[in-house]
Amino acid sequence: MNSNNPLENRIVNALKNIEEKTNNFPKTNEINLFENYLDSIFFNLEYSNYLKNQKKLNEFQKHFDEYFQTFTISVQNREIAVNLYGMSGLLLACNILYKNNCLTNVKYSQSKDFTELLLKVAIEQQKRNNYDLFSGSVGNIMVAVSLIEKHEIVEYENSFIDYFKVLEKTAISDKNSNGLKWYSLHPIYKTEIYNLGLSHGFISIVAVLCKIAEKFTDNVQLQTKCKDLLQKITSFVLSNEINFEKHNSFFPMYSLDSFENKIYSSRLAWCYGDLGIAITLLRAAKVLNDKLLNEKAVKILIKNTERKDYKINNIFDLWFCHGTSGIAYMFKKSYELTKNELFKETTEFWISETLNMLEYEDYFEYTLKKNPTANKNNYSSKNSLSLITGYSGIGLVLCSFLYPDFNNSWDEIFLLS
């Protein structure tokens, strides 16, 4: 770290403030990967472990032990949902923290004892066409893949094959692209749509198939099936490209056949739009060894470096989900995957924007400077400590930028590895 670098000095100060905020978390008995208590503990374990602050690490290990005890009781009483919000989310947190030596008790290595349950539930969820990352099959499959060691895959191979069969059965064939798609219900109109988002759309299926293929490289059966599905899904995704100059994005929020004569341009964010789609396509291109798909994804990301207007790009806050820190991390990930210096420069721009917001007592004041028409209905609580829409997530992004050797396996939570 260069102490003469003004940007790095601002990050150090911002991390001190975030550490202070997340040290004052409200305790809760709610088991949820995306709530203030657990996420504050998660960030502080990662941060204090990296800084080798043993006193702080011990303190937050005790907090995690208490939280895990609540989880154990909830499991025994069958009071916890099996999805990323609930059981699988905490199991993923245990797995990441244990592998990073943030947790040392061997009981946290036993998360894989739940793997068979996660796969079984995921298959049942997919039968109901519930593929949502947070509440459906993709989240559970993602966590199961994370928990299974490479040499253990033979034990679970049949479960994955069953999952693939259900995926195909619930898919809808698209004649124009010879591709596959999955419908979901529009959150307001309750009509059937084809959601192209990474958070709630079926781009998440592409990401989780990539995760399976990336990890179990020696399993021919899983490799073959993943590649076949990836070819078909990416074919449909690419058939939904729109005119960037006219719509300010390459892809809409929902597929072109979701609404007649209506195109919903997508925002610049992790959750929806070009960034999540393009990074997932980059991963698919590597699995498929598809040079043209890789070039297409890079082209999309390069063009998105031009998108810096808050109003046009629906930027309202600094959080990971759909704010500046998430955008910064997506371009950082783009740089890691491509080594294109333009993405490194764009990362610095969005890190700086995140710091600008953090330096206001109320970040929405800065939002209004950048977008005077911003509606406060889009305003998220300035006191949130969560990973997805709070200071814990920002803290991890800033650490990943400031410290080149910081372990970024936490981005598994967001389907980025």
Side-chain angles (χ1 to χ4, degrees), residues 80-120:
I80 185 169
V82 184
N83 57 34
L84 201 61
Y85 285 127
M87 178 187 291
S88 57
L90 184 59
L91 294 175
L92 180 59
C94 288
N95 191 49
I96 293 170
L97 293 169
Y98 185 79
K99 285 182 176 179
N100 291 354
N101 297 313
C102 299
L103 298 174
T104 54
N105 192 317
V106 70
K107 69 182 179 182
Y108 296 120
S109 69
Q110 297 167 0
S111 299
K112 63 184 181 182
D113 293 347
F114 294 89
T115 302
E116 197 62 59
L117 172 63
L118 298 184
L119 291 169
K120 182 179 178 181

Side-chain angles (χ1 to χ4, degrees), residues 3 12 18 28 61 67 119 179 203 240 286 291 360 399 401:
S3 60
V12 170
I18 290 172
T28 177
Q61 285 174 343
Y67 192 90
L119 291 169
I203 296 301
N240 284 277
K286 187 173 182 180
K291 185 178 179 181
Y360 274 75
C399 285
F401 181 82

Side-chain angles (χ1 to χ4, degrees), residues 299-343:
K299 175 187 173 184
I300 292 166
L301 289 167
I302 288 173
K303 194 66 177 174
N304 271 266
T305 62
E306 300 172 8
R307 299 175 66 182
K308 294 175 179 176
D309 185 288
Y310 275 53
K311 181 179 179 180
I312 297 173
N313 294 300
N314 288 318
I315 300 168
F316 300 104
D317 59 49
L318 65 174
W319 312 131
F320 190 93
C321 183
H322 44 256
T324 55
S325 63
I327 298 169
Y329 193 79
M330 295 299 271
F331 280 112
K332 181 179 183 297
K333 195 75 179 180
S334 301
Y335 174 71
E336 291 171 358
L337 293 171
T338 66
K339 303 306 177 187
N340 187 313
E341 288 292 326
L342 178 59
F343 301 142

Side-chain angles (χ1 to χ4, degrees), residues 46-310:
E46 290 279 9
Y47 188 46
S48 57
N49 183 55
Y50 180 81
L51 295 180
K52 295 180 171 55
N53 185 336
Q54 193 60 48
K55 181 180 178 182
K56 202 69 174 289
L57 187 61
N58 291 341
E59 176 190 343
F60 279 92
Q61 285 174 343
K62 288 179 182 177
H63 287 307
F64 195 92
D65 288 341
E66 292 173 6
Y67 192 90
F68 193 79
Q69 183 60 36
T70 303
F71 166 73
T72 303
I73 294 170
S74 296
V75 171
Q76 290 170 347
N77 295 337
R78 299 185 177 183
E79 295 172 344
I80 185 169
V82 184
N83 57 34
L84 201 61
Y85 285 127
M87 178 187 291
S88 57
L90 184 59
L91 294 175
L92 180 59
C94 288
N95 191 49
I96 293 170
L97 293 169
Y98 185 79
K99 285 182 176 179
N100 291 354
N101 297 313
C102 299
L103 298 174
T104 54
N105 192 317
V106 70
K107 69 182 179 182
Y108 296 120
S109 69
Q110 297 167 0
S111 299
K112 63 184 181 182
D113 293 347
F114 294 89
T115 302
E116 197 62 59
L117 172 63
L118 298 184
L119 291 169
K120 182 179 178 181
V121 171
I123 290 168
E124 291 304 312
Q125 289 169 326
Q126 191 55 49
K127 285 179 181 178
R128 301 191 299 272
N129 198 46
N130 177 11
Y131 57 77
D132 189 90
L133 168 62
F134 302 107
S135 62
S137 63
V138 167
N140 283 324
I141 292 292
M142 175 185 76
V143 177
V145 174
S146 183
L147 298 180
I148 299 169
E149 298 296 336
K150 285 186 178 182
H151 67 275
E152 297 172 332
I153 187 57
V154 176
E155 300 174 42
Y156 303 101
E157 186 177 40
N158 289 336
S159 293
F160 281 103
I161 296 302
D162 289 342
Y163 170 66
F164 295 148
K165 288 178 181 176
V166 176
L167 260 185
E168 289 181 300
K169 190 174 181 179
T170 53
I172 296 170
S173 296
D174 181 71
K175 294 180 181 178
N176 294 328
S177 64
N178 292 318
L180 294 178
K181 57 188 179 181
W182 287 261
Y183 80 84
S184 60
L185 294 180
H186 190 280
I188 298 173
Y189 306 122
K190 304 303 178 186
T191 53
E192 290 185 6
I193 56 168
Y194 301 102
N195 189 325
L196 297 176
L198 184 57
S199 56
H200 299 294
F202 66 82
I203 296 301
S204 63
I205 296 176
V206 178
V208 84
L209 289 172
C210 289
K211 189 175 182 70
I212 295 169
E214 289 162 352
K215 186 163 187 176
F216 306 121
T217 53
D218 296 331
N219 190 294
V220 176
Q221 193 172 11
L222 296 189
Q223 286 288 318
T224 301
K225 202 63 204 174
C226 282
K227 289 177 181 179
D228 178 58
L229 285 165
L230 285 172
Q231 287 276 14
K232 293 173 180 175
I233 307 170
T234 55
S235 178
F236 175 72
V237 172
L238 292 173
S239 73
N240 284 277
E241 184 177 342
I242 55 179
N243 187 310
F244 182 90
E245 304 305 328
K246 182 178 179 181
H247 298 287
N248 195 50
S249 63
F250 282 93
F251 295 100
M253 283 182 64
Y254 311 117
S255 70
L256 298 175
D257 55 355
S258 292
F259 296 95
E260 287 187 20
N261 304 316
K262 177 68 175 177
I263 295 177
Y264 286 87
S265 299
S266 56
R267 69 196 313 166
L268 189 69
W270 163 77
C271 54
Y272 280 92
D274 291 356
L275 297 183
I277 293 173
I279 286 176
T280 305
L281 290 178
L282 273 180
R283 294 174 67 191
K286 187 173 182 180
V287 170
L288 296 169
N289 193 25
D290 188 331
K291 185 178 179 181
L292 290 178
L293 183 59
N294 184 81
E295 289 174 355
K296 181 71 175 177
V298 172
K299 175 187 173 184
I300 292 166
L301 289 167
I302 288 173
K303 194 66 177 174
N304 271 266
T305 62
E306 300 172 8
R307 299 175 66 182
K308 294 175 179 176
D309 185 288
Y310 275 53

